[in-house]
Amino acid sequence: MRLIVARCSIDYTGRLTTHLPEAVRLLMIKADGGVAVWHDGGSSVKPQNWMTPPTVIEEGDGQIVVRKLAGVTEDRLEIGIVEVLSDVTHDMGEAAALEKDGVERDLQEALAAAPAWCGEGFRLVRREWPTDIGPVDLMCRDHQDGWTAVEIKRVATIDAVEQLTRYLERIRRDPAMEFCAGVLAAQVIKPQARVLAEARGIACVEVDLDVVRGDREPELTLFA
Amino acid sequence: MKLSTTSSELLGQLQTASRVASTRSAVQALSGVQFQATADLVELRATDMEVGLRIPLAAEVEREGTAVLPARLLLDVARQLPSGSLTLELRPAEQDVEIICGPAKFHLRTLRTEDFPPLPEPGGDQIVHLPARAFTETIAKVARSASRDETRPILTGILVSASGTELRMVATDSYRLSVKETRLEVPVEAGFEANVPARALQELERIVASGAEAETIEIGVRANQVVFRAGDVVLSSRLIDGQFPNYRQLLPETYEHELNVAGDELVGVVRRISLMAQKNAPLRLSFTEGELTISAQTPDVGEASEPLPVPFTGEPFEIGFNPDFLRDGLESVESGDVVLKLISPLRPGLIEAGDGSGFLYLIMPIRLNV
């Protein structure tokens, strides 16, 4: 990663034409060819100008030209350098991928490990239980040994209810599972989804991932 | 339809009716207020399909008829009208209503009258008459404990029951529970129990408090509906289906500590110290021999504490509460002594009116992280 702080002016030609008059800017040139031009103001997350890789970067006397083919035309960033205030290059090494927590998969893992949060006495039979229209997240047995399909969402909307309804319709075609019940488990269940689910005999369970994982104690309540 | 009234009369009644009109229905007429003018009565009607309200408007009727006007807009117009008499006339050809008040003239497009549902007449399978004041005071005691979480509709209601000489209301949001038992001077004719949306009862309370001339409230309970009549005002509401929590099971049989505390003093301390319990921070109650110290702390904001003499004996202990919930309970007692009954830091505490007026407030603590 090369970071240049320079007094410069910049002309872009391509899909449109722009001109940045002379000022002090940070030029960020990534090893993959990506170029971003920053100034100390404006949008906090969006550069003033940028070019995504792959690019060709040509550096001459007082000028850096970044070119990129865009179909039959060419995007071109001409940076006229008046004064270089700083020019450093850092080896950034291998970057670890962004780790997201609290996504649907995390919830599924946590509930698979503790299915009782989905219903009294629930035991996990299988994760990703296959049906001919796609897998249902968890297949469990309840405290009376009845089959229960659990669909897990971070935010459950009416679409989630429709999805579970479709799975149940397929699952119940098997005579051994014709009484399979459905549970919609989510961190947030929209009121409309709850109404529709309950009208279709599908139970709704709101779960808190931190509580399911045991990272946080549940709030004390007078009753469940 | 053509009628004459005054701008202040229209505004007064509209302010009440428009609160009931729907704000988010797909049926446009439900966002309106219906004027129904007959020879001897003008009534404003509004409903969101859960709660319905019929409220009289003092007016002279020149021509009978019905019109539905957008409630919010009409209220805004009524607020700006000069004081004095006004006429309100339906112009079917123009599909609007002409309002003339002094030099001001408005033409408001009407909403579809045929989309506005009929509202229930008073009466029902069981009719009970209860003193209006006792009824609304009981509502005021418990309503704050009803849940606002629409995902648990049963808890958004107040369980109202009356039998013999007892009126009882119960509300809970699972974090606290309010029970108020009110003794009636005259036994009710027929007992009933119904889970009524708290919103409907709070509206009824407001209507009675704002001067509906009613000594008694007539309550008609039907299969899935309840109709209240207070004077000339009729408020109807659907009932909430489902099993209300068995509140008696929730009330502990015994407590470790029972303390009589001056209610006003305690409420004052709780109100003050709560100012420093922000961002879900608990209010901390530390009991030591003869003293209760209430404290709160919010990182980056500040902290506060204040001691209070209480007749506490035994091992010191600390318990945390949601400041708003604790304040609600103490304020509901209103005056005189309160009795605090506690078991342990993770068991519910009970706030009771010291005068034996039949008010109970059970509140779940919050875990304290040391």
Side-chain angles (χ1 to χ4, degrees):
Chain A
M1 173 85 74
R2 186 176 171 198
L3 302 172
I4 306 168
V5 178
R7 180 174 298 280
C8 58
S9 61
I10 301 173
D11 288 293
Y12 166 79
T13 53
R15 286 156 296 162
L16 71 164
T17 305
T18 64
H19 172 71
L20 291 172
E22 190 181 305
V24 175
R25 296 190 174 86
L26 167 65
L27 311 175
M28 188 184 283
I29 303 173
K30 287 173 67 192
D32 64 1
V35 176
V37 178
W38 295 91
H39 72 141
D40 214 357
S43 167
S44 56
V45 293
K46 200 172 163 188
Q48 272 192 310
N49 232 323
W50 69 93
M51 198 84 96
T52 55
T55 57
V56 175
I57 301 173
E58 294 162 350
E59 200 169 343
D61 191 23
Q63 192 177 50
I64 298 172
V65 178
V66 185
R67 292 187 291 114
K68 177 181 176 158
L69 274 181
V72 291
T73 59
E74 186 184 65
D75 282 357
R76 191 178 174 93
L77 206 59
E78 285 183 20
I79 306 169
I81 309 276
V82 178
E83 182 190 4
V84 175
L85 303 172
S86 163
D87 184 352
V88 291
T89 302
H90 296 280
D91 181 1
M92 309 293 279
E94 287 289 310
L98 180 68
E99 286 181 13
K100 288 184 186 172
D101 190 29
V103 296
E104 208 171 290
R105 181 157 199 87
D106 298 315
L107 200 54
Q108 194 194 107
E109 272 171 20
L111 289 174
W117 283 100
C118 300
E120 193 188 337
F122 276 26
R123 288 167 286 123
L124 181 69
V125 178
R126 182 178 169 170
R127 273 178 75 178
E128 304 285 348
W129 178 274
T131 77
D132 51 5
I133 55 167
V136 68
D137 290 330
L138 305 182
M139 183 58 78
C140 299
R141 293 273 201 175
D142 65 16
H143 67 293
Q144 291 175 319
D145 228 25
W147 293 100
T148 306
V150 181
E151 184 59 29
I152 298 166
K153 295 286 176 206
R154 208 174 62 77
V155 178
T157 60
I158 278 181
D159 288 345
V161 182
E162 296 291 0
Q163 186 184 0
L164 180 55
T165 305
R166 290 195 296 273
Y167 288 146
L168 286 171
E169 191 269 326
R170 307 305 293 182
I171 293 167
R172 287 169 182 164
R173 289 183 178 203
D174 177 351
M177 302 181 85
E178 64 178 319
F179 298 113
C180 181
V183 171
L184 183 61
Q187 285 184 285
V188 178
I189 298 178
K190 296 284 184 188
Q192 300 90 334
R194 188 180 290 269
V195 170
L196 184 64
E198 285 171 359
R200 292 181 180 178
I202 292 170
C204 292
V205 182
E206 253 178 346
V207 287
D208 183 323
L209 182 57
D210 289 341
V211 173
V212 174
R213 282 172 169 167
D215 293 344
R216 190 164 55 78
E217 295 270 16
E219 281 185 331
L220 297 169
T221 56
L222 293 165
F223 52 88
Chain B
M1 181 191 75
K2 185 173 181 185
L3 55 92
S4 312
T5 182
T6 62
S7 52
S8 59
E9 168 70 11
L10 178 66
L11 176 61
Q13 302 304 71
L14 258 182
Q15 278 172 328
T16 304
S18 60
R19 279 202 301 266
V20 172
S22 175
T23 51
R24 55 183 181 185
S25 173
V27 182
Q28 228 191 347
L30 294 181
S31 67
V33 59
Q34 186 186 52
F35 285 74
Q36 197 161 73
T38 55
D40 51 353
L41 177 73
V42 179
E43 214 172 49
L44 300 186
R45 299 177 171 197
T47 181
D48 61 359
M49 298 304 281
E50 178 177 278
V51 178
L53 182 66
R54 297 167 50 175
I55 184 166
L57 178 76
E60 276 179 32
V61 178
E62 250 181 70
R63 203 164 51 243
E64 295 183 2
T66 305
V68 181
L69 289 170
R72 279 289 164 88
L73 179 61
L74 182 60
L75 181 61
D76 288 343
V77 169
R79 280 199 181 109
Q80 302 303 328
L81 289 176
S83 60
S85 60
L86 69 78
T87 60
L88 195 146
E89 182 178 7
L90 174 67
R91 305 191 308 168
E94 288 82 0
Q95 295 187 325
D96 68 16
V97 162
E98 183 177 73
I99 300 169
I100 299 176
C101 182
K105 184 191 280 186
F106 285 83
H107 292 133
L108 266 65
R109 305 284 171 269
T110 54
L111 302 174
R112 285 167 57 90
T113 308
E114 50 275 35
D115 288 348
F116 197 91
L119 298 183
E121 294 294 325
D125 306 338
Q126 295 165 283
I127 295 179
V128 179
H129 291 88
L130 292 172
R133 198 169 155 199
F135 194 77
T136 54
E137 280 178 358
T138 309
I139 295 169
K141 290 274 186 191
V142 303
R144 286 194 266 198
S145 287
S147 174
R148 290 179 189 85
D149 179 2
E150 286 178 19
T151 62
R152 300 183 78 180
I154 288 174
L155 304 185
T156 61
I158 295 176
L159 186 71
V160 183
S161 55
S163 70
T165 55
E166 188 180 86
L167 165 68
R168 186 173 53 238
M169 293 194 197
V170 185
T172 178
D173 59 6
S174 83
Y175 300 104
R176 66 259 177 82
L177 166 90
S178 291
V179 182
K180 172 73 174 106
E181 289 172 349
T182 303
R183 183 128 329 259
L184 303 170
E185 285 174 11
V186 182
V188 293
E189 308 89 336
F192 73 93
E193 184 170 87
N195 188 4
V196 185
R199 205 185 124 234
L201 289 172
Q202 284 173 304
E203 196 54 56
L204 181 69
E205 183 204 344
R206 264 198 222 117
I207 289 166
V208 173
S210 66
E213 290 161 13
E215 290 281 307
T216 61
I217 292 178
E218 178 193 291
I219 305 170
V221 184
R222 299 168 187 176
N224 54 7
Q225 200 174 49
V226 61
V227 183
F228 300 97
R229 180 157 69 179
D232 294 330
V233 179
V234 178
L235 185 135
S236 54
S237 170
R238 68 167 181 84
L239 295 178
I240 300 172
D241 270 345
Q243 187 67 43
F244 196 85
N246 183 348
Y247 73 93
R248 286 191 181 87
Q249 278 182 354
L250 303 174
L251 294 167
E253 286 177 3
T254 58
Y255 297 87
E256 285 295 311
H257 304 281
E258 194 170 320
L259 311 165
N260 270 286
V261 187
D264 293 347
E265 208 175 330
L266 182 58
V267 172
V269 176
V270 166
R271 280 185 190 143
R272 274 193 292 281
I273 305 302
S274 293
L275 296 172
M276 288 297 149
Q278 299 174 13
K279 302 175 189 168
N280 298 323
L283 204 62
R284 198 176 279 258
L285 277 67
S286 307
F287 292 91
T288 53
E289 200 75 28
E291 192 173 86
L292 161 64
T293 302
I294 299 180
S295 62
Q297 182 186 23
T298 307
D300 304 327
V301 175
E303 57 271 324
S305 71
E306 187 170 338
L308 193 70
V310 293
F312 179 85
T313 54
E315 284 294 303
F317 93 101
E318 223 174 27
I319 188 166
F321 289 112
N322 175 313
D324 295 334
F325 292 175
L326 183 63
R327 198 179 56 235
D328 280 351
L330 293 170
E331 285 177 351
S332 295
V333 173
E334 281 180 3
S335 61
D337 279 5
V338 296
V339 183
L340 282 182
K341 294 182 177 178
L342 302 165
I343 303 169
S344 68
L346 299 182
R347 301 284 310 278
L350 187 78
I351 297 168
E352 214 177 311
D355 60 2
S357 59
F359 175 68
L360 303 176
Y361 187 84
L362 191 69
I363 175 172
M364 211 57 204
I366 294 177
R367 284 191 179 84
L368 291 174
N369 301 319
V370 191

